[in-house]
Amino acid sequence: MYGHNLEPCATIKLLKIALERGLRMSKFYVELKKVVDDSYDIEIGKNLFETLIKDLKGELGKGISRYAIITDSNVKTLYGDRLYDLMKEEGFKVDLMSFPAGETSKTRATKEIIEDSMLAKGHRRDSCIIALGGGVVTDLAGFIAGTFGRGIPFINYSTSILGAADASVGGKTAVDTPLATNLIGLIYQPKKVYIDLATWETLPKKQVSNGLAETIKHACMADEAFFTFLEENIEKLLEEEGIRKHFEICQHIAETNCRIKYEVVKKDERESNLRQILNLGHTVGRAIETLSGYDLLHGQAVAIGMAMQVKIGEKLGYITKEEADRVIALFEKAGLPTKLPEEMSTEEVVQKLYTDKKVRQGKIRFVFEEGIGRIKRHEDGNYSIALEEEFIRKTIDEVR
Ligand code: GLY
């Protein structure tokens, strides 16, 4: 066909003639079966810049000509400038890009600004992104990596408890939209994840609490002993200098979060069913995070969502009152809210639930824990269940 510059209408005419004459048409099957190995290491420790640089000089940096460190305004000052200087001293070609800290920066607009800046600085397909920061940074930078030049490698260097517990592992990357969080994104796996516990020492108390919400969620869904460990130790982290004084607790939290999360992700990377369990508490959580205009931090919204989840679960008989109270008490111990903000009406919360990614056939779906440390699996094998809007409205109204 190439070389025959036929007008579209001439092509259609020829096809028509061919069909009328019963001539054999051509049909191709484009076989594109893939065997992909996206496995990667997670390294947990303190002060890991030297390790990162050593890795980049070895296998991890193979084929990469230049690096873009992407970070936010807070982390840039605390760690970004230092990593940039170290990499420069070691002879790497590297740029440092930052955006204003906070969830409100996790947008398509910020993505575009960073992409244009990378293009202007000459980044191409042989570049690699180093996402240095918490969940907002790794979600956004991972999404940029997944689409820049149709996909370049990226490395997550996590500097927050929230990032370590959730966003830096599992390959979910995204930006928020005015309608809801994380609606536009990709599943795109990093080449390596570093979890630097020394960086937790500079987190303000509010961010320590924020990070602990996903940690408690993991305990609720998969590990009762971890839940008990948190009951006994979580308050220590909120003491003055708590993170610095209790390194072993931080290490245990980081390791257990990673284990629980990767056990789920490796079985169901694309969330066909099992991965939905990581959404525990997020049906209400994500809705109220958006409704608050991001005044609620992600962990705070998840804590309230988890409280709603156990209260609805109690009504459905999945968890006892004593267990539900224990879950709520643990969130409160971690300095997190467990009640819907007064100013949010039940109705606006219910309507926002329809933006949840689990909605199927127009039905709002919830994931529930069964007691503490287990997830409820329903008779049809699903880990989420559709609930009637009226039941949700009535229950939220009763328990809020
Ligand atoms: N944050 C939920 C997930 O990674 O699936």
Side-chain angles (χ1 to χ4, degrees):
M1 286 290 246
Y2 294 102
H4 295 269
N5 278 330
L6 291 175
E7 293 291 316
C9 61
T11 314
I12 291 165
K13 222 170 177 176
L14 280 178
L15 281 169
K16 228 174 124 206
I17 293 167
L19 281 168
E20 277 164 12
R21 291 184 184 163
L23 292 184
R24 199 173 61 79
M25 301 297 290
S26 299
K27 190 176 167 188
F28 298 95
Y29 173 61
V30 181
E31 189 166 345
L32 273 175
K33 289 182 187 148
K34 287 183 194 158
V35 178
V36 181
D37 185 356
D38 267 343
S39 317
Y40 56 90
D41 286 327
I42 303 170
E43 184 144 351
I44 301 172
K46 264 185 154 184
N47 304 312
L48 297 172
F49 282 170
E50 305 290 334
T51 314
L52 168 66
I53 285 171
K54 197 166 121 266
D55 289 346
L56 295 180
K57 286 182 176 168
E59 200 58 32
L60 193 64
K62 240 188 181 161
I64 296 168
S65 307
R66 56 193 303 174
Y67 292 87
I69 303 170
I70 299 179
T71 190
D72 70 24
S73 46
N74 291 340
V75 181
K76 176 183 180 294
T77 318
L78 287 165
Y79 308 106
D81 292 330
R82 187 150 56 85
L83 178 60
Y84 173 80
D85 289 344
L86 280 173
M87 287 183 70
K88 273 244 150 215
E89 278 164 30
E90 293 290 338
F92 289 99
K93 267 182 136 178
V94 57
D95 295 293
L96 176 64
M97 289 159 210
S98 69
F99 57 85
E103 187 77 29
T104 47
S105 285
K106 209 179 97 175
T107 59
R108 284 170 283 189
T110 314
K111 182 173 183 275
E112 189 179 326
I113 292 169
I114 294 176
E115 286 163 347
D116 285 345
S117 162
M118 284 179 66
L119 290 169
K121 288 179 196 293
H123 286 273
R124 297 294 182 261
R125 297 198 64 191
D126 54 353
S127 287
C128 170
I129 286 175
I130 301 175
L132 175 71
V136 170
V137 171
T138 56
D139 276 9
L140 178 67
F143 188 22
I144 294 172
T147 53
F148 192 89
R150 298 204 181 93
I152 58 172
F154 82 112
I155 291 161
N156 277 340
Y157 194 103
S158 174
T159 61
S160 73
I161 304 180
L162 186 63
D166 190 21
S168 64
V169 177
K172 274 195 181 171
T173 73
V175 290
D176 302 329
T177 69
L179 186 68
T181 60
N182 297 329
L183 284 185
I184 311 286
L186 282 174
I187 292 189
Y188 191 64
Q189 301 296 345
K191 292 292 171 213
K192 184 162 179 180
V193 176
Y194 298 85
I195 291 175
D196 186 344
L197 300 174
T199 62
W200 294 11
E201 290 175 17
T202 50
L203 289 172
K205 217 179 204 165
K206 194 171 167 189
Q207 288 296 347
V208 174
S209 295
N210 183 35
L212 291 170
E214 295 280 0
T215 300
I216 301 174
K217 178 201 81 177
H218 281 151
C220 287
M221 58 173 245
D223 193 334
E224 193 176 2
F226 185 44
F227 187 92
T228 309
F229 172 86
L230 293 174
E231 284 182 316
E232 286 160 7
N233 293 291
I234 215 159
E235 278 169 319
K236 296 180 192 159
L237 300 183
L238 297 168
E239 291 165 4
E240 203 55 41
E241 304 261 313
I243 297 286
R244 199 185 52 73
K245 284 193 289 200
H246 301 287
F247 175 70
E248 288 76 20
I249 298 175
C250 295
Q251 193 172 24
H252 184 61
I253 285 177
E255 284 169 3
T256 313
N257 275 326
C258 285
R259 176 180 52 75
I260 292 173
K261 181 143 191 198
Y262 77 64
E263 286 296 343
V264 174
V265 172
K266 78 182 182 195
K267 289 187 193 123
D268 180 20
E269 184 200 14
R270 307 205 72 80
E271 201 166 309
S272 53
N273 185 16
L274 179 71
R275 191 166 179 169
Q276 291 182 94
I277 72 175
L278 297 171
N279 242 267
L280 188 67
H282 283 59
T283 311
V284 170
R286 288 178 65 247
I288 62 174
E289 185 181 1
T290 313
L291 280 177
S292 77
Y294 304 104
D295 278 350
L296 284 174
L297 298 176
H298 182 69
Q300 295 173 322
V302 167
I304 298 169
M306 283 291 291
M308 291 295 130
Q309 173 268 137
V310 288
K311 287 179 180 172
I312 302 172
E314 187 192 328
K315 267 201 105 168
L316 293 167
Y318 301 150
I319 188 166
T320 64
K321 178 168 180 354
E322 292 67 40
E323 288 164 335
D325 287 346
R326 255 180 93 190
V327 172
I328 291 169
L330 184 52
F331 280 104
E332 285 170 357
K333 253 188 188 179
L336 289 159
T338 54
K339 289 202 167 22
L340 277 181
E342 290 282 327
E343 66 280 8
M344 277 181 206
S345 72
T346 300
E347 194 51 39
E348 63 180 336
V349 173
V350 171
Q351 290 316 315
K352 203 65 178 172
L353 297 180
Y354 283 100
T355 62
D356 188 60
K357 286 171 292 178
K358 294 187 295 308
V359 166
R360 269 190 261 148
Q361 290 155 345
K363 293 270 187 206
I364 301 165
R365 302 182 73 87
F366 277 79
V367 175
F368 288 104
E369 55 186 291
E370 185 171 45
I372 291 174
R374 275 189 324 280
I375 285 287
K376 173 77 185 162
R377 189 168 195 190
H378 303 278
E379 267 119 59
D380 60 0
N382 250 298
Y383 288 100
S384 66
I385 189 169
L387 296 180
E388 290 304 325
E389 184 185 304
E390 195 40 40
F391 170 78
I392 301 169
R393 181 181 292 110
K394 230 175 123 232
T395 313
I396 293 182
D397 238 353
E398 268 170 44
V399 302
R400 59 173 301 160

